[in-house]
Amino acid sequence: LSADAAGDAASAQANSAREANDQQWRMYQQSREDQEPWRKSGVNALSRIDAGFEPGGEFDRSFGMEDFEKDPGYNFRLGEGMKNLERSAAARGLLRRGGTLKGLTRYNQDFATGEFTNAFNRFQLDKSNKFNRNAALAGLGQTAAQQLGAQSVQTGQIVGNNTMGAGNARASGYV
């Protein structure tokens, strides 16, 4: 009777360990599913960062004259300044005169010189903002991956402990 009772107890413990392991695996899989959007977002952002640093990529490219000329702030302010100078000269009857053309040329050169730094800074700020947003998303993915790694280690330890406990219960039943 004692041997049968010990065997039944060992079987009950083994079944309990198996059920605990199954539950632990379900919890781990649910956790992986819950973390997947964050992990995926981080992977995608990291891919964009990597692509940006490839030769010719967004973060590898230097500021050039084409960027300067495309800068909306530069174009708007230059156009408004030119219109004001032309209107002023036209109001005085001096629009087509050499002095007006010389003044417009000097304005363009001086304006371009002063505005180049502003356009460069806007270019750099835009690149930094894009990089930082992607880096933040990549960090979310990294955090999710770290949490999943820690959870997988913890799950392995718990399942291992449960399996050892079931084995010990069986062994004591045999004894």
Side-chain angles (χ1 to χ4, degrees), residues 128-140:
S128 294
N129 286 342
K130 287 178 183 176
F131 175 82
N132 290 339
R133 285 191 302 267
N134 282 304
L137 288 173
L140 291 174

Side-chain angles (χ1 to χ4, degrees), residues 11-31:
S11 290
Q13 282 182 311
N15 288 337
S16 293
R18 193 171 21 262
E19 288 174 22
N21 285 346
D22 289 345
Q23 179 62 27
Q24 189 65 39
W25 281 114
R26 281 192 299 275
M27 290 169 55
Y28 174 69
Q29 292 303 322
Q30 181 63 52
S31 180

Side-chain angles (χ1 to χ4, degrees), residues 97 143 150:
R97 304 288 170 105
T143 299

